[in-house]
Amino acid sequence: MGYDESIYRRRDGEGFDAGGPGDYRDDYPPGEFGVGDLHGPDTTDPGRQSVPAAVLDDVFDDPAHGEPGRDRLAFHIVWEVVLLLAVGGVGYLLIREDSGALRGNALEQLLVAGAALGLLAMGAGLTLRAGAVNLALGPVAVASALHFAENGDRGIVPTLAQATVAALVLGLVVGLVVVIFHVPGWAASLAAALGTLVFIERRPAPVNVQGGYDPTNHALYLFAGVAVVLVLGGLLGTVKSVRRAVGRFRPVADPARRRGPVAAALTGGAIAVSMPLAAGAGVLIAASSDGPVVPTSGLEWTGLAVGAALVGGTSAYGRRGGIFGTVFAVALLVVGQRYVAERGWNDITPAVLGAGAVALGLVVTRLVETFGRPKSAGIDDTPWQTTPAPAVAPRGPIGERTDSWSSTLPAQPTESRADTWDTERWSGGDR
């Protein structure tokens, strides 16, 4: 038999090539072993095929547990249309109850309320996308409202600056705790919320608002500014690299496993930014209040903020979210709250609306995670995938095979066999 296979041939007349005998890199078609073979992609030979950049982007999106492919936004578009129709329907019902509810000073009050809730929903949506929801948003807003009510006569800018700086410091502390110890954001922010309640409980009586700042004079600009930032954030979140970088803190295997310095920095930054947003919302709540600011736990505001973000299409697991959904959800809650007041349904408090929004948002989260994940998630059908090797029959203990080969030879018949050692030619009689 002649050994004429290419793997046994010498590359030149003097010896094997630099790869040595059996160098399999040149004996298989390009890309046969994929990117992760022992030698890696060969970029020195211009004739060899390379893996497309789009495929590499999908493969190395998350080196450990990433989902290849782009998130689907079709469900977000459909759901945002549903939310827009719901806002129109509730607005129509409100006009039927009060024809002037969406005109003049009443409309300006709704816009300021929408701007305040929009800031809270912005902070909730940002921390939700980062995978570390901030539950201290409501208490921080109430504390900021009380601070503005007590010190508003000193000027809007100094009072707002004090509340913002204090909230930012609190956010930095919570963010550092989350990223250094790698603990869930809800747990660390809950501790911050309880600490903020200490400040709130020191004021058992309602506080009259000092100063003469009236945000209804800039109602349209306030709401439009908040809405534009929400939409721009949603559009930026559709970029795959940004979407997955912000949501990299989202657990994909063991939740206690650290997700790297990039995830830590972005998550800590999201928590830190969300606190000043809550402080700004509290200032708007106090400044637009018709009466004194009542000290509350702020849990109802946290429920409304998180509920608005979830109903708007932001996933409770992090990373995924829509574009216009949060704006429409905020509008729906504000108009719905005004409609409830017009109907005299006193049992439907803001806490009840927040609870309902969170419950509906959890259903939306399940739909987002079902219909928003990439089509290729869990299926690796890239053309350069290596064909799996055939299964090898399992082996038992050492020296024992469990395949189809028998461990013993078949029994041989003994009756028909003549004893070759008993023949006459071995006897010594004739010799």
Side-chain angles (χ1 to χ4, degrees):
M1 124 176 230
Y3 294 95
D4 195 29
E5 297 295 332
S6 60
I7 59 175
Y8 296 101
R9 294 175 183 170
R10 298 179 180 270
R11 301 291 190 252
D12 49 30
E14 301 169 359
F16 287 94
D17 57 358
D23 185 13
Y24 52 83
R25 287 182 297 176
D26 297 327
D27 299 314
Y28 289 89
E32 181 69 20
F33 286 89
V35 180
D37 60 356
L38 297 177
H39 297 278
D42 189 357
T43 58
T44 58
D45 187 357
R48 301 193 60 150
Q49 299 179 2
S50 59
V51 180
V55 176
L56 288 175
D57 184 45
D58 286 341
V59 172
F60 297 110
D61 168 63
D62 189 336
H65 306 96
E67 289 178 343
R70 182 182 296 276
D71 290 343
R72 293 176 290 177
L73 298 177
F75 171 77
H76 292 285
I77 297 175
V78 173
W79 178 245
E80 289 169 2
V81 172
V82 173
L83 287 177
L84 181 60
L85 294 176
V87 173
V90 177
Y92 172 74
L93 294 176
L94 178 59
I95 292 176
R96 289 187 59 183
E97 294 293 328
D98 182 6
S99 59
L102 298 180
R103 292 200 304 262
N105 186 53
L107 177 60
E108 291 175 348
Q109 292 179 350
L110 285 179
L111 291 175
V112 173
L117 183 56
L119 288 174
L120 288 172
M122 189 186 304
L126 180 60
T127 54
L128 277 171
R129 286 212 181 197
V133 60
N134 186 359
L135 299 182
L137 295 173
V140 169
V142 173
S144 178
L146 291 171
H147 176 74
F148 179 81
E150 294 174 341
N151 303 281
D153 54 347
R154 300 179 182 178
I156 177 65
V157 175
T159 307
L160 179 60
Q162 292 174 358
T164 301
V165 171
L168 180 60
V169 171
L170 180 62
L172 289 174
V173 172
V174 175
L176 288 175
V177 170
V178 170
V179 301
I180 291 178
F181 296 99
H182 194 80
V183 294
W186 65 265
S189 61
L190 180 59
L194 295 175
T196 308
L197 285 178
V198 177
F199 175 85
I200 297 175
E201 290 174 349
R202 295 177 61 184
R203 295 156 180 80
V207 180
N208 293 320
V209 179
Q210 306 296 322
Y213 174 69
D214 186 6
T216 57
N217 297 329
H218 313 93
L220 180 60
Y221 300 104
L222 290 172
F223 181 78
V226 172
V228 167
V229 174
L230 284 171
V231 173
L232 289 178
L235 287 173
L236 188 62
T238 60
V239 180
K240 186 171 62 173
S241 57
V242 175
R243 188 185 190 93
R244 295 184 172 179
V246 173
R248 193 169 290 275
F249 197 76
R250 161 180 168 148
V252 292
D254 182 3
R257 181 176 298 174
R258 296 183 183 273
R259 302 288 288 152
V262 175
L266 292 176
T267 302
I271 295 175
V273 170
S274 66
M275 293 296 192
L277 294 176
V283 170
L284 291 179
I285 293 172
S288 61
S289 177
D290 294 332
V293 177
V294 180
T296 63
S297 65
L299 184 60
E300 69 279 7
W301 287 107
T302 297
L304 289 171
V306 176
L310 292 175
V311 172
T314 305
S315 174
Y317 295 103
R319 170 177 163 178
R320 299 188 171 98
I323 302 175
F324 300 93
T326 305
V327 177
F328 295 156
V330 167
L332 179 61
L333 288 174
V334 170
V335 176
Q337 191 171 9
R338 178 62 186 274
Y339 175 71
V340 168
E342 289 293 333
R343 292 299 302 267
W345 295 339
N346 298 325
D347 294 335
I348 304 180
T349 61
V352 174
L353 286 177
V358 172
L360 177 59
L362 295 178
V363 177
V364 176
T365 289
R366 185 67 269 158
L367 296 175
V368 168
E369 291 295 331
T370 300
F371 300 105
R373 65 178 52 250
K375 291 182 178 180
S376 58
I379 302 176
D380 191 3
D381 53 357
T382 50
W384 46 271
Q385 182 180 4
T386 305
T387 304
V392 180
R395 292 180 177 272
I398 298 176
E400 180 182 340
R401 296 178 58 93
T402 57
D403 51 15
S404 59
W405 292 96
S406 175
S407 59
T408 59
L409 294 175
Q412 299 293 329
T414 59
E415 296 81 13
S416 59
R417 288 186 58 187
D419 191 356
T420 56
W421 294 96
D422 196 23
T423 57
E424 295 180 356
R425 62 175 179 168
W426 296 102
S427 61
D430 297 336
R431 302 185 61 177

